[in-house]
Amino acid sequence: MEKRVVFRSSWLPYLLVAPQIAITVVFFFWPAFQAIHWSFLIQDAFGNSSQFVWFQNFQDLIRDEAYLDSFKVTAVFSTLVTFIGLAVALVLAVAADKVIKGAMAYKTLLIWPYAVASAVAGVLFAFLFAPSVGIVSFALRAMGVDWNWVLRGDQAMLLVVIASVWKQISYNFLFFLAGLQSIPKSLIEAAAIDGATPVRRFWTIVFPLLSPTTFFLLVVNIVHAFFDTFGVIDATTQGGPAGATQILVYKVYYDGVKAADLGSSSAQSVILMVIVIALTVVQFRFIERKVQY
Amino acid sequence: MAEIRIQGVRKSYTKGTWVIHGVDVSIGDGEFIVIVGPSGCGKSTLLRMIAGLETITAGEISIGGKIVNDVEPKDRNIAMVFQNYALYPHMSVYDNMSYGLRIRGFSKADIETRVQRAAKILELGPFLARKPRELSGGQRQRVAMGRAIVREPAAFLFDEPLSNLDAKLRVQMRLEIQKLHRELGTTSIFVTHDQVEAMTLANRMIVMNAGVVEQVGAPMAVYDAPASLFVAGFIGSPAMNFLPGSVRDGRVDVGGGHLIALPRPLLEHAPAQVTVGIRPEHLVACAEGDDAFTFPVETIEALGADSMVHGKVGATPLVARVEGHAAPAIGSTARFALMPERLHFFDTVTGKRLAA
Amino acid sequence: MVENRPVLVFLRHAVLLAGVACVAFPLWVTFVASTLTLEQILTVPMPLVPGDQFWANYSQVLTAGSTRGAAAPVGQMMANSLVMALAIALGKIAISLVSAFAIVYFRFPLRNFFFWMIFVTLMLPVEVRIIPTFKVVSDLGILNSYLGLTLPLIASATATFLFRQFFMTIPDELAEAARIDGAGPMRFFWDVVVPLSKTSMAALFVIQFIYGWNQYLWPLLITTDESMYTVVIGIKRMIVGGDALTEWNLVMATAMLALLPPAAVVILMQKWFVKGLVETEK
């Protein structure tokens, strides 16, 4: 896409892009190159001298049990957040799609969690599920569940998944609802005349037609689970207990800031960048393809 | 195949406002019925009530002798062709056509035969593996019809199926639908706002306006004796000329010094205000002397085969249709004779056709 | 309407009500806890109806902060959050608007290169370049400052794309007419482009305000001075570890204060919010 009409000036366009480019260079490109550079260095304990070690940081990571665990944790975490988040939102969107009375009210009441910061969501759920004082913990204990996420890894995982899903549902819901409402009504009517029951209609017509939305949300939710959940984790489990909820982003932060292991943390950053780039490429390839429908 | 009866059917979305004011029609087995009217007249709503896509507020609809008010669309044994075709975009042509059969549990072989037969009738054979987006408008239209045909339903419902096609294709598809109906003989209800489609396709047509059925009848019968001013103006192109006037001494004074005699049988019940309807094609050019009707020519529209002569009688605009080369010069006086048996008389107040 | 059976209608409402309840439950508990004394919360289970400590808790946190954790007043933190959110939202809109204008309405060497530079930033979320970015900010001497809080987050590929996309829909004839009328590029920018972009700006503002208000990792890194804490950081700092030690009533009051402004923006500007969400993700 190009404009037919353009203005001519030898200096004005540079002036106009300058602020954006300056900030991009100083705060995006320079740090990214630094991260790559540092990922090839090992610093001594006092940070006074450093040594160029090629890929040793990466090799160490591949051999590091804790890092591999963190990968696994991230995989489990993002899978759960993505699938539960999408499933719940889809059910709600399907219910809301056909509702006539109160549609606007439901929508309003379902979208506000988007506005809640991850860290605040984390605090809310940490309180609800607090082992000794939390009201949900109380209910769980009353039902005979031995609830203590401070000690139990699987429960800690469940907690951060619930908090992250809660925050992401509104986003998924809005996109699913928009997707559903863009399916022509006559298609559903044609299927009804063809004899399809509501359930069958959903799986053979609606769900396939919704697939561009679903795929888009899949990528967005994975990215969300990878990066935006830092606040949830830091406000609740802080990666614990014993690394059970230490997702990759949290480990980058922990190793770099708390443990001050610059080389390893930078190498992890580089790996994360590769993952983001891969996800972005997938997303854009798909958006190009989806235009066909 | 079946007959469809519509009795006292009414529809309202909000209490107290009716979009359909009570329709009574019965449609014979194998008949091709066209419901025609301007947009918003309720014709699509009526069709959707027959299909089961809209609830019926009051009255009864029966298909093949069975009341279907509370029957789901899928159990009414009807097939529908939608205005935008409503083809499933993610399915091939074959899958689109066979979807309803698969749901109803037909055998693979049976489905294959039916789809192939429909594909042959509609010349869709080479496209069965394609997706709808790879087809032209006319081909999509055929697929939509194919999807209806394979089901062999009791009735076809068409909801303005030709309005998304260009003019040439529309004529072609009109002929094909006619041919199809001759071959299959399935009861069909066809909704359109295009009076040409209605005239050419219908065995009988239902003319609707503002939620009311104005007239039901065979196309030529409606053309020859429109029941109301609305029908008279809607059916026929260019539209009928209306000359309103008041009745004096058994004649209607339509202005400009023109008096048109009321036929003897109408005299007795004639109201004070009468509108005379004259179709443009029923004004006959004539020589000086035996002319009944003269007016100065304002504009000529030459269409080739015909020319339209525009002028005014009193304050009322008037159009006459003459043979292409027979148009008088602009500014000259046009002379026309009236064909008394081709005149229409309506009560100006009620809009109804005057009857003896 | 196909199959509008009462059972289905009922089921739909039931599902939605359950959804609304699940979404709202944490908020309700938070609100209730913010009106109780710590002792009331610590009696398990805590009550589920509001208590009478509303003013006590809220005035305590707004003016003085917690007593056991961070002691900075939340009022100050909220002001910091507001400055940060506004600066990021307005800053992003401003620099994206002009750079998109340059990229769409001019042909100049390096134009594509700049476009791709901006595009690539999509792939570099702050989380993956935390430490080097921290070092840059530290070298520039803007730790613990509004500049440090906002500047690194102001560059935005999504906003630039959104405006670029929108500018492409402005008819060429408008620019031609402006040129015939003798308007230069900046005149055209102010008189035509900016007024036409108002809805896009509003939509973007809502999204970016929430983004800015809810930042966590970045302020966590660069604010060590309590007077520079944002409210989201402040809450976290009030939790001192150990269920019973934390002053949950004050934490929950702060949580309410932290989530109300962005939630109000979403609900009051719902139309812009939905538009912004859908458009920035295209």
Side-chain angles (χ1 to χ4, degrees), chain C residues 1-17:
Chain C
M1 201 81 213
V2 187
E3 274 138 3
N4 224 342
R5 290 197 216 109
V7 185
L8 280 176
V9 175
F10 174 79
L11 195 68
R12 285 190 198 114
H13 284 278
V15 166
L16 286 170
L17 285 173

Side-chain angles (χ1 to χ4, degrees), chain C residues 52-70:
Chain C
D52 56 1
Q53 298 297 304
F54 181 88
W55 291 115
N57 289 338
Y58 283 82
S59 57
Q60 158 86 20
V61 292
L62 276 172
T63 55
S66 68
T67 53
R68 293 180 195 162

Side-chain angles (χ1 to χ4, degrees), chain C residues 21-128:
Chain C
C22 285
V23 162
F25 180 68
L27 183 71
W28 176 249
V29 174
T30 303
F31 172 70
V32 170
S34 73
T35 62
L36 300 173
T37 63
L38 185 57
E39 288 70 34
Q40 284 173 305
I41 293 175
L42 294 182
T43 53
V44 179
M46 62 170 261
L48 276 177
V49 286
D52 56 1
Q53 298 297 304
F54 181 88
W55 291 115
N57 289 338
Y58 283 82
S59 57
Q60 158 86 20
V61 292
L62 276 172
T63 55
S66 68
T67 53
R68 293 180 195 162
V74 173
Q76 171 67 37
M77 293 181 193
M78 291 188 69
N80 291 342
S81 287
L82 188 68
V83 170
M84 183 173 179
L86 285 176
I88 288 177
L90 298 176
K92 275 195 184 210
I93 289 171
I95 70 168
S96 300
L97 195 66
V98 292
S99 58
F101 179 68
I103 282 168
V104 171
Y105 278 100
F106 291 90
R107 298 279 169 281
F108 54 101
L110 297 181
R111 174 169 158 267
N112 272 323
F113 174 72
F114 286 146
F115 182 74
W116 281 103
M117 257 175 100
I118 297 168
F119 177 77
V120 169
T121 59
L122 267 185
M123 306 184 190
L124 299 169
V126 69
E127 287 81 1
V128 307

Side-chain angles (χ1 to χ4, degrees), chain A residues 186-187 189 191 194 204 293, chain B residues 48 84 87-90 99 104:
Chain A
S186 61
L187 279 184
E189 293 172 348
D194 270 340
T204 57
Y293 254 148
Chain B
R48 291 167 59 82
N84 62 4
L87 301 180
Y88 311 124
H90 58 301
Y99 183 70
R104 289 182 159 78

Side-chain angles (χ1 to χ4, degrees), chain B residues 164-181:
Chain B
N164 282 358
L165 299 175
D166 64 47
K168 209 174 144 198
L169 258 177
R170 197 154 27 190
V171 174
Q172 189 191 333
M173 288 309 297
R174 219 160 63 199
L175 294 172
E176 290 199 24
I177 290 176
Q178 259 184 339
K179 197 176 105 207
L180 202 67
H181 181 250

Side-chain angles (χ1 to χ4, degrees), chain A residues 6-24, chain C residues 91-108 111 114-115 118 154-156 160 163 167 184-190 193-194:
Chain A
V6 293
F7 293 100
R8 263 176 278 275
S9 167
S10 56
W11 53 274
L12 187 58
Y14 295 99
L15 187 71
L16 293 174
V17 295
Q20 179 95 298
I21 295 298
I23 290 172
T24 307
Chain C
K92 275 195 184 210
I93 289 171
I95 70 168
S96 300
L97 195 66
V98 292
S99 58
F101 179 68
I103 282 168
V104 171
Y105 278 100
F106 291 90
R107 298 279 169 281
F108 54 101
R111 174 169 158 267
F114 286 146
F115 182 74
I118 297 168
I154 267 178
S156 171
T160 312
F163 284 127
F167 293 168
M186 287 324 282
R187 190 70 197 260
F188 177 68
F189 178 75
W190 285 115
V193 174
V194 171

